[in-house]
Amino acid sequence: QDFFEEKMYRASGYTRYNVVSNYGEYLKGKNEQMVRRGVPTLEEIALTGTQWWERFAGVKAIYDLKKDLAKAKNTDSALLDYVALVLEKAIANEKDEKLIERYKMFNN
């Protein structure tokens, strides 16, 4: 996890997109402590990424993680609620019209 946390801020360009996406995949199936540590990093990218594709990668990673948590039988409902709220916040914060349109696919 430290690897992703460090790379997230040092990577640039398309490499950053890949790191964000891979970090989201990495968090799937991890314990609650790891998820709670990782989600704020994804949230920060989703909210403050300078490029639209960085923000999209952050939102998609959070969305995919939420779906994974919802499918898992032993997910704490508070954790799922937390991730869902982070996703809602990231989507609501977006100002780019094209991304707002793309984010409609995450409304399920």
Side-chain angles (χ1 to χ4, degrees):
Q1 189 163 16
D2 291 336
F3 169 82
F4 287 106
E5 293 282 333
E6 181 182 322
K7 283 283 191 187
M8 193 81 59
Y9 297 104
R10 292 191 357 204
S12 62
Y14 191 70
T15 301
R16 192 169 199 201
Y17 179 90
N18 285 330
V19 172
V20 173
S21 298
N22 290 336
Y23 191 27
E25 286 297 314
Y26 170 82
L27 290 173
K28 289 181 181 179
K30 297 297 189 253
N31 65 42
E32 181 175 347
Q33 180 182 1
M34 292 180 82
V35 172
R36 286 191 181 273
R37 179 177 166 207
V39 168
T41 304
L42 295 174
E43 178 184 19
E44 183 178 342
I45 299 297
L47 292 172
T48 64
T50 56
Q51 301 295 324
W52 69 267
W53 40 265
E54 291 174 321
R55 297 189 308 278
F56 180 80
V59 168
K60 183 166 183 337
I62 296 165
Y63 172 77
D64 289 345
L65 181 60
K66 180 187 141 217
K67 277 182 36 180
D68 188 69
L69 290 169
K71 287 181 191 174
K73 296 185 188 310
N74 60 346
T75 298
D76 178 49
S77 63
L79 178 61
L80 184 57
D81 290 346
Y82 164 67
V83 174
L85 284 172
V86 169
L87 178 63
E88 286 177 30
K89 178 181 173 185
I91 290 173
N93 187 67
E94 186 57 57
K95 305 294 183 243
D96 183 299
E97 291 297 325
K98 290 179 184 176
L99 277 185
I100 291 168
E101 189 63 32
R102 285 181 186 212
Y103 289 167
K104 289 180 182 177
M105 73 174 124
F106 300 138
N107 285 336
N108 60 10

